[in-house]
Amino acid sequence: MFKPLAMKHVVLQILTEDLQQASLTLARLGLFNPDHRPFERERFPKIPGERYRELHAQAHTRLEKIRRQIGLATEVRLNELHVVGERELEETNDWLGQVWERCSGFEESARRMAAEERSLEQLQQTLADFDQLNIDLDLLQGEKRFLDIHLGVVPRQNIRQLREALSLAGYLLFTHAESGDNSHTVIVGARQEDNREIHSVLDTAGFRALTIPSQLREEPDRVRTELQAQQRALDEQRRSESASMSLCSAELRERLEQSQRILLMAEPFVHLRSAARSTGALTIVSGWIPSREIRRTEQALKAALANPFLLSARDPRPEERHLVPSYLPKCRFSQPFATLVKQYGIPRYGEVDPTAIFTLTFIAMFGMMFGDIGHGLTIMLGAWLARSRLKSFTLFALAAGASSTLFGALYGSIFGYEELFHALWIPPLSDPLYMLSMALAWGVGFLIIITLISIHNRLVEGDLHRALFDTNGLVSIILYLSVLGGVYGIYTQGAYGVATAVISIGALLTLLGFKLIETQASPGERMLVAFIETFETLTGYTSNTLSFLRVAAFSLNHVALAIAVFTLADMLEGTGHWLMIIAGNLFILILEGAIVTIQALRLEYYEGFSRFFSGDGLEFKPLKLSGGGGG
């Protein structure tokens, strides 16, 4: 629950003829993570299955292309498993090639029809610009011997000035349509050898030229009828192609699904890659298996393989711990929290898995900051109603709502009302200093637990120096606790305390001495770096502790927002009063709920994970049958 499962490095020695069956058996178990390091390269120089992988890659590519044309389910139930030989895979690949040649015609036809439809849409859009011109559009296209014709759009406010300017040059301007603030115009005049002056006038007026495509000939009404006929023909062709595709899909679906199952059953052998090495008749396979699953794996191989084999297992060596995958058992309740932990990183093998701690502390802090029975029950109801969309995060929202409801009972608040029943603990605004002190106590306890986990992780890695003297090491936590004790002594008794001061100074000097020894630099620079890093350790614990004041601050803020809502509601009467109450609570629920979630995540990530969680571990990725179960 709190750590990745203990792993064993295994080496499986089998006859090469049993390799595919072994890979299929290991994939069915889902417990074997291949180790692709160059293991025993000299004795076993060959990586088997090169042509097999090429065939599989080509067949998979063809199937994915066909899938775009013929809808196939992404999940396939593998009811019966069998070893897919190279010949069967080759036959499947060849058949998929033939199917793709057939389907590619549909794809090309669909691409061509899409291009034709875009062209028709563009022509119809262009035709709309000349809708009011009841003349043969062909007369306006191309250069004329005696006429200079310009078609375009002019801002409406410039029409009068442009018409006057053009009339001086012997040109006529006609408007035939309005579009927003623009007018569609036709400008006609006698053709001149030098028409630069006309172009200058048009540019000054903001004239934007329009071009009539060569396909638009004759009057607009006749062109529109022709385009509509082309659109109907295109629609009919699309229906015909769709019917042909449906017939093809019905004819090929069963064989395609079988091909999909064949490729899925071939995947385990393909994914072994360099984890399997061969020297002819003998093959070795190396990887990682959870310690508790070694016996089960051996029994499954014994039942599946026709020939004898040898499975040897050993513990990870110290120098390869960073290569061991972290296998984190799945729990339905913690799955959404594990997803959020994974966003930060994967724990190294042997490190404490932060999922359980994250789950408990996040739920608690959300309730502390957002304690209200009404809001909590609303969150739970919303999560349940939206469970089809939230999926695994439904439990996340339900847990947050339950925590909010519990702390709402402790605070005596339901939709902001605090006079309906007595608080089981304390209304936050009744004693803000007490709430702040409780938040600090929570932060201190949180940081102590996190630092102890950090020390444990360093010891597991065999790094005694960091476990003792690191920023999150034993000496640092002793310094932190002694300073806290001294400050508390000043607050309660007016004195730091001799014993506490000795411990604080001793821990501070020990930490400073270690930093001096660890730093590689000139004496002056070494002293400066050691002093800064020691000071940073102390201030880091202080700032991290103070960060938890936001837990109390948001609990107080929650009440303050409710008071603001009631104040506004009291200014209104009747329906307006209750509408303000409802709207205000929705505002608090959505906006503050989102902010509290973000703040709780921030405390987890920056005050928690950053102290003990490296996040650079390797995820356990076993061979598995991705299509479904098998028998």
Side-chain angles (χ1 to χ4, degrees), residues 140-187:
L140 301 178
Q141 300 183 64
E143 293 188 359
K144 309 301 178 185
R145 184 174 180 182
F146 299 109
L147 292 177
D148 186 16
I149 302 175
H150 300 272
L151 302 174
V153 177
V154 178
R156 193 180 304 168
Q157 67 269 20
N158 296 341
I159 289 293
R160 187 175 61 81
Q161 294 91 334
L162 179 60
R163 181 179 280 115
E164 292 175 357
L166 290 172
S167 65
L168 298 176
Y171 279 74
L172 299 175
L173 183 149
F174 303 94
T175 60
H176 59 88
E178 304 292 339
S179 176
D181 295 331
N182 297 318
S183 295
H184 291 256
T185 63
V186 179
I187 299 170

Side-chain angles (χ1 to χ4, degrees), residues 55 86-96 255:
L55 288 171
E86 188 171 307
R87 183 173 180 179
E88 183 181 7
L89 185 59
E90 186 172 11
E91 290 174 353
T92 301
N93 181 45
D94 291 341
W95 183 79
L96 288 172
R255 178 74 186 274

